[in-house]
Amino acid sequence: MGESLGSSKMSALILGAGAGQRMGGQPKAFLRLIGTTLLEIAVNLVRPFSSEVIVGLAPCDLDQGRDILADNDIVVVEGGDSRQATLSRLLESARYELILVHEVARPFARAADVEGVLEAARQYGAAALHTPFRLRDGVAAARDGFLRETYEGVELVSLQNSHAYTRKILRRSLQAADSLCGPPASGSAPLVLRAGFDVRLVAGSEDNLKITFPEDWELAKRRAANLRAKSDLECS
């Protein structure tokens, strides 16, 4: 088993530089749930586990982000033009050997899941949260209107943030990705896998909703309101 949670320092990298194009051009970092920005929710989640927190925001959002986080010891850096480029910039600013990767679009991530993925990364070097992808029909790949490949006997999963890595594995994976042609990887776990490293899967939560589309945001607001109402009821 790897080191205990309190025995090694960790850098938390928060991805928040996206333009929110699928959300109608709204930067997700500044959307508010029950009066709190998704940026603050992400920071508050990872801070108890982190020796430092580094946030990547779009250039036009830097001042607003720094104002929101002014009372916290948080480093805010300019993100790149892709998720991969932002991750590279955040890693350059990180000081510690254990790296947690989180994103502002996951406001319902749980502290217990962060603990789990960090423990797995200490033991295996790379870890990612996941949930089972339940299938009712056969899964296949198509191209140009024709069936190209079928997938039989494959256990499919949905990947979630948070992810965690040793600095060495994440740096080598980013370097390998930079040397390849083609589109950037869709996330850090595919990037690490593509570089030849095993990624340990850690059970996540079905509640760990990712906000990508407007309908996700509507669901998130309803869920947050329900959680607040439940909390108020329990405290009354």
Side-chain angles (χ1 to χ4, degrees):
M1 178 61 68
E3 301 171 86
S4 66
L5 282 170
S7 62
S8 65
K9 293 186 174 182
M10 185 269 286
S11 298
L13 313 183
I14 297 180
L15 300 165
Q21 292 178 343
R22 291 175 291 187
M23 281 288 297
Q26 301 180 76
K28 284 179 273 189
F30 306 125
L31 295 175
R32 289 182 174 272
L33 280 179
I34 317 297
T36 304
T37 65
L38 300 193
L39 174 59
E40 292 167 285
I41 292 171
V43 167
N44 291 336
L45 173 70
V46 304
R47 283 195 73 179
F49 309 99
S50 312
S51 304
E52 65 177 0
V53 179
I54 308 169
V55 176
L57 295 175
C60 58
D61 295 331
L62 290 174
D63 288 342
Q64 184 176 356
R66 286 169 178 154
D67 286 343
I68 289 173
L69 301 174
D71 295 332
N72 300 280
D73 185 22
I74 308 298
V75 178
V76 180
V77 302
E78 181 177 323
D81 58 5
S82 69
R83 186 184 186 93
Q84 184 175 305
T86 297
L87 185 56
S88 293
R89 292 187 180 185
L90 292 174
L91 186 61
E92 288 174 3
S93 299
R95 294 181 292 170
Y96 300 112
E97 293 306 311
L98 184 62
I99 306 294
L100 179 74
V101 179
H102 193 60
E103 60 184 342
V104 299
R106 297 272 186 180
F108 300 104
R110 305 183 307 181
D113 292 337
V114 174
E115 289 181 347
V117 82
L118 286 170
E119 287 286 8
R122 288 190 176 100
Q123 183 173 358
Y124 297 99
L129 294 176
H130 82 290
T131 56
F133 193 84
R134 296 178 177 86
L135 296 174
R136 291 179 174 84
D137 301 302
V139 175
R143 187 172 62 252
D144 300 327
F146 289 91
L147 185 67
R148 298 301 180 186
E149 185 175 358
T150 60
Y151 301 96
E152 304 293 341
V154 176
E155 181 183 357
L156 298 179
V157 299
S158 296
L159 292 176
Q160 300 180 339
N161 263 234
S162 298
H163 301 169
Y165 311 99
T166 64
R167 181 188 184 91
K168 179 179 179 181
I169 285 177
L170 186 55
R171 183 178 63 246
R172 288 187 177 180
S173 299
L174 286 165
Q175 289 171 344
D178 289 340
S179 68
L180 296 175
C181 298
S186 58
S188 59
L191 181 149
V192 170
L193 184 65
R194 185 187 297 173
F197 297 102
D198 289 333
V199 179
R200 180 69 173 180
L201 291 175
V202 178
S205 168
E206 296 285 355
D207 293 331
N208 191 5
L209 170 71
K210 181 177 181 180
I211 297 170
T212 303
F213 301 104
E215 55 266 33
D216 301 325
W217 180 233
E218 294 304 316
L219 177 59
K221 288 189 290 185
R222 291 196 298 271
R223 182 179 294 177
N226 290 338
L227 289 173
R228 183 173 185 177
K230 180 179 178 181
S231 177
D232 290 344
L233 184 62
E234 290 173 349
C235 293
S236 62

